Amino acid sequence: MKTYLVTGGAGFIGSNYIHYMFRKYGDAIRIINVDALTYAGNLENLKGVAERENYAFIKADICDKSAIAAIFAANDIDRVVHFAAESHVDRSIKNPEVFVQTNVLGTLVMLNCAKNAWENPDGTYQQDKRFLHVSTDEVYGSLEEEGTYFYETTPYDPHSPYSASKAGSDMLVRSYMDTYRFPANITNCSNNYGPFQFPEKLIPLMINNALQGKNLPVYGDGKNVRDWLYVEDHVKAIDLVQEKGRLYETYNIGGHNEKQNIEIVKIILDTLRDMLPEQDPRRKHISYDLITYVEDRKGHDRRYAIAPDKIKAEIGWEPETRFSEGIRLTIQWYFEHEEWMKHVTSGDYQKYYEEMYQV
Ligand code: NAD
Ligand code: TYD
C-alpha cells in the first residue's frame, strides 16, 4: 500500500485531490495530510474523509523542519504531493514576506526532508519514491498576443510576489533534480475553479457577492484573460503525472478555456439567473448592474494560456469538463454549501475584504 504525504490538503485544490484519491483508490492507499490551517485551510473541506482509517491529519507548518522530519521518520512515505503555499496574488502584493517564507523556504524544507528520508548512502534513492511539486502557469509571466501559449520550455518571467515565490520554489525543485537526481516532477497549471475555493479568488468571490446583491469588483478594463480549468481535471492530471509521467519532467496543465474576466462575470450572472428558482429572493439581485469596474491590480498580468500538448501526448490527459458544465457544478456546490461560505467568510475575511476593496 502506498503512503502519500499531501501538504496543504485542507486548502482548495488539496482537499479536492484527497477526495478524488479516496474515490479512485479507496482503501488501497494511505494519505497523511499536513496543513498549518492558515486562513485558507479548513478542515470542513475534509468532511467524509476524516473518519477513514487510511487517512491522518497533522497540523504542522511546512517551514518547521523538525515537525516535517518527524513525519518522514515515523512513516514510510512513497509519494509527496506538495500543494501547501500562500496562493493569492492580491495578498502577495500587500504582504510578500509570508510568500517567500512558505513558498520558497517551506518547499526547501519539504525537499530536504524527503531527500534525507529517501536517499541511499551511495546517493541513489529508494525504489519508487516520487515528489510532485504543484505549481502555476503564472511563473511564465504574461502573454500579450492572442495565439501564443506557455510551453514547458517558456522562460520564467514572474511579475507578482506570488509568482516570483512560486518560480523560486520551482527552481529549487529543478536544482534538486539536477544536482542530486532527486526523484521529482513539477506541474504548472492554469487557474482552477470548483468546490471548496476560498472566496478571495475571482469565481467564488463573484458568486458569493452576486447572491448577496453586492457589487462585483472587476479590475481595470476586465479584459485580462485567464485559462480556467475545473479542479477535478487538475487533480486527475496530478495523479496521472505522478504515476505515468517521466521522472524529472515538467508538465503544463491547462483548460483550453481562455476567457476575459468580464466574460466570466457575465457567465456567472447569467447562470445564476438560470439556476435560481423564480421565487428565490436572491434572484432579484442578479443583474449586470452589479458589475463595478475598480482600480486595476498592480502589475496585473494581461493574459495566461497553457499549451497542454506534452501531457496529452505523453500521458493522454486532456481537460474533460467543459466550462459551461463546470460553472454549473460549481454554482450548485455553492448553493448547497451556504454554511461553509458563512464559516469561511466570518472573522478575518471581513477585515481582508474591507481593506482590499475599501468598502
Ligand atoms: P489554497 O490557498 O486554497 O490552500 C493552501 C493550503 O496550504 C491551505 O490549506 C493552507 O492552510 C496551507 N498552508 C499555507 N501555508 C502553509 C504552511 N506554511 N504550512 C503548511 N500548510 C500551509 O491554495 P490552492 O488554490 O489550493 O493552491 C494549492 C497549490 O496549487 C498552491 O501551491 C498553488 O500555488 C497551486 N496552484 C493553484 C492554482 C489555483 O488556481 N488555485 C493554479 C495553479 C497552481
Ligand atoms: P484570481 O482569481 O485572483 O487569480 P489569479 O490572479 O491568480 O489569476 O484572479 C483572476 C483574474 O480576475 C485576475 O485577472 C484578476 C481578476 N479579479 C478581478 O477582476 N476582481 C477580483 O475581485 C478578483 C479577486 C480578481
Side-chain angles (χ1 to χ4, degrees), residues 87-90 138 162 191 200-203 205-206 217-219 224 226 228 261 297 300-301 304 357:
S87 68
H88 191 40
V89 173
D90 293 319
E138 303 192 24
Y162 164 66
N191 286 61
E200 64 189 354
K201 305 277 173 29
L202 180 75
I203 289 183
L205 187 139
M206 295 298 165
V218 174
Y219 300 162
N224 298 66
R226 298 293 182 263
W228 294 94
N261 295 334
R297 174 187 278 172
H300 196 176
D301 286 339
Y304 301 144
Y357 296 97

Side-chain angles (χ1 to χ4, degrees), residues 202-215:
L202 180 75
I203 289 183
L205 187 139
M206 295 298 165
I207 296 172
N208 185 38
N209 280 19
L211 287 172
Q212 294 179 57
K214 280 167 66 175
N215 285 342

Side-chain angles (χ1 to χ4, degrees), residues 2-3 9 13 17 24 36 40 83 111 120 124 132 169 171-172 174 179 183 189 196 198 205 207 263 270 321 342 344:
K2 283 193 189 97
T3 298
I13 307 176
Y17 172 80
K24 178 166 177 185
F83 294 99
L111 289 167
N120 296 315
T124 62
L132 192 142
S169 66
M171 291 301 176
L172 281 170
R174 287 185 180 189
T179 309
C189 188
F196 301 114
F198 194 80
L205 187 139
I207 296 172
E263 285 180 71
D270 295 343
T321 315
K342 272 190 202 139
V344 303

Side-chain angles (χ1 to χ4, degrees), residues 89 137-138 141-143 150 190-192 202-203 219 222-229 255-264 296-297 299-306 323:
V89 173
D137 61 355
E138 303 192 24
S142 180
L143 297 164
F150 296 138
S190 63
N191 286 61
N192 285 214
L202 180 75
I203 289 183
Y219 300 162
K223 291 186 181 157
N224 298 66
V225 171
R226 298 293 182 263
D227 172 5
W228 294 94
L229 179 69
H256 276 310
N257 180 45
E258 288 178 53
K259 295 218 177 328
Q260 292 182 341
N261 295 334
I262 188 65
E263 285 180 71
I264 294 283
D296 208 355
R297 174 187 278 172
H300 196 176
D301 286 339
R302 191 63 174 168
R303 174 172 165 257
Y304 301 144
I306 281 267
F323 190 73

Side-chain angles (χ1 to χ4, degrees), residues 101-268:
Q101 192 69 36
T102 290
N103 299 1
V104 182
L105 298 177
T107 297
L108 187 63
V109 169
M110 292 306 304
L111 289 167
N112 279 333
C113 289
K115 178 173 173 290
N116 289 341
W118 293 345
E119 197 174 21
N120 296 315
D122 65 357
T124 62
Y125 288 84
Q126 290 171 25
Q127 278 246 302
D128 197 25
K129 304 289 187 188
R130 294 180 84 134
F131 187 108
L132 192 142
H133 177 62
V134 180
S135 192
T136 166
D137 61 355
E138 303 192 24
V139 296
Y140 297 121
S142 180
L143 297 164
E144 294 296 337
E145 304 299 328
E146 273 184 36
T148 51
Y149 296 94
F150 296 138
Y151 291 89
E152 288 79 358
T153 49
T154 302
Y156 276 28
D157 183 23
H159 298 132
S160 72
Y162 164 66
S163 55
S165 69
K166 290 298 290 188
S169 66
D170 292 11
M171 291 301 176
L172 281 170
V173 179
R174 287 185 180 189
S175 77
Y176 271 57
M177 295 194 283
D178 292 344
T179 309
Y180 309 113
R181 294 305 279 166
F182 178 73
N185 288 100
I186 300 173
T187 53
N188 294 92
C189 188
S190 63
N191 286 61
N192 285 214
Y193 70 101
F196 301 114
Q197 189 168 30
F198 194 80
E200 64 189 354
K201 305 277 173 29
L202 180 75
I203 289 183
L205 187 139
M206 295 298 165
I207 296 172
N208 185 38
N209 280 19
L211 287 172
Q212 294 179 57
K214 280 167 66 175
N215 285 342
L216 308 180
V218 174
Y219 300 162
D221 64 2
K223 291 186 181 157
N224 298 66
V225 171
R226 298 293 182 263
D227 172 5
W228 294 94
L229 179 69
Y230 192 58
V231 63
E232 180 145 332
D233 286 337
H234 183 192
V235 301
K236 281 183 188 168
I238 287 173
D239 177 44
L240 286 173
V241 167
Q242 216 169 27
E243 297 315 315
K244 296 192 175 161
R246 283 185 295 138
L247 212 50
Y248 311 117
E249 292 293 317
T250 289
Y251 292 92
N252 281 355
I253 304 171
H256 276 310
N257 180 45
E258 288 178 53
K259 295 218 177 328
Q260 292 182 341
N261 295 334
I262 188 65
E263 285 180 71
I264 294 283
V265 174
K266 289 182 175 167
I267 292 172
I268 290 171

